[in-house]
Amino acid sequence: MIPSPARSSTRQDAGARPRSWSKSRQGLAAGTALLVFPPVAWAEGATVAIPLEKLPALKKVGGWTLTSVRGQRILFVRASEDKLRAYGGRCTHQKCDVNYNTADTRIDCKCHGSKFDMKGEPLNGPATEPLPRYAAGIKDDKIVVKLK
């Protein structure tokens, strides 16, 4: 057996944890808790107003956009001049993002091919559950949506 060389006091083993590891881990856990338990301002049932200029695709009828509103993925579709529809932006099968299919007037999941009608009901699978719906509208050049 060959003796190992003396170790320098400044060298760390590749697998060794830094001395501050436990404090870093505690900080990470605290940050994660903020993601899991959002502040009260993001409470369930909050109504949010978004300036229409921030989502320009919704200025015209037939326009759509998929965006995050206070941590919730929402698909907005401008159905008519005075009607805005809002759906959960993730497929109920495996939570992939969904998109609006303007040619077929339906909502499609690109991951596994699920399709939903304009009520959010699945037309074909693998998804079997409907998309969540949000109360939404346009008022004073703002998109108003009630979060769940």
Side-chain angles (χ1 to χ4, degrees):
M1 191 168 194
I2 302 171
S4 62
R7 294 183 185 218
S8 164
S9 62
T10 59
R11 183 177 167 215
Q12 274 188 336
D13 288 338
R17 295 182 191 146
R19 288 186 182 145
S20 63
W21 184 81
S22 63
K23 290 188 183 203
S24 297
R25 188 173 173 189
Q26 290 169 355
L28 177 63
T32 303
L34 289 176
L35 295 173
V36 175
F37 303 104
V40 176
W42 296 13
E44 185 176 312
T47 300
V48 178
I50 306 162
L52 191 55
E53 64 206 31
K54 291 199 178 215
L55 301 173
L58 298 176
K59 289 183 177 182
K60 62 180 171 111
V61 173
W64 66 275
T65 190
L66 175 64
T67 190
S68 290
V69 180
R70 294 191 175 173
Q72 296 182 39
R73 293 293 279 170
I74 300 178
L75 174 70
F76 291 101
V77 178
R78 182 80 181 257
S80 66
E81 195 60 42
D82 60 346
K83 191 170 194 172
L84 181 70
R85 294 183 175 165
Y87 309 88
R90 300 215 189 259
C91 180
T92 56
H93 172 235
Q94 287 190 346
K95 308 300 180 209
C96 293
D97 283 349
V98 294
N99 294 310
Y100 179 62
N101 181 329
T102 53
D104 295 326
T105 320
R106 67 172 187 238
I107 301 164
D108 295 344
C109 175
K110 295 188 290 185
C111 291
H112 302 106
S114 293
K115 297 177 184 358
F116 301 87
D117 66 17
M118 294 309 294
K119 293 179 183 177
E121 295 293 326
L123 295 169
N124 69 294
T128 57
E129 297 294 318
L131 294 172
R133 298 282 308 267
Y134 292 85
I138 298 177
K139 183 177 181 182
D140 300 328
D141 287 330
K142 290 183 181 157
I143 296 161
V144 180
V145 60
K146 183 172 181 176
L147 300 178
K148 295 186 179 212

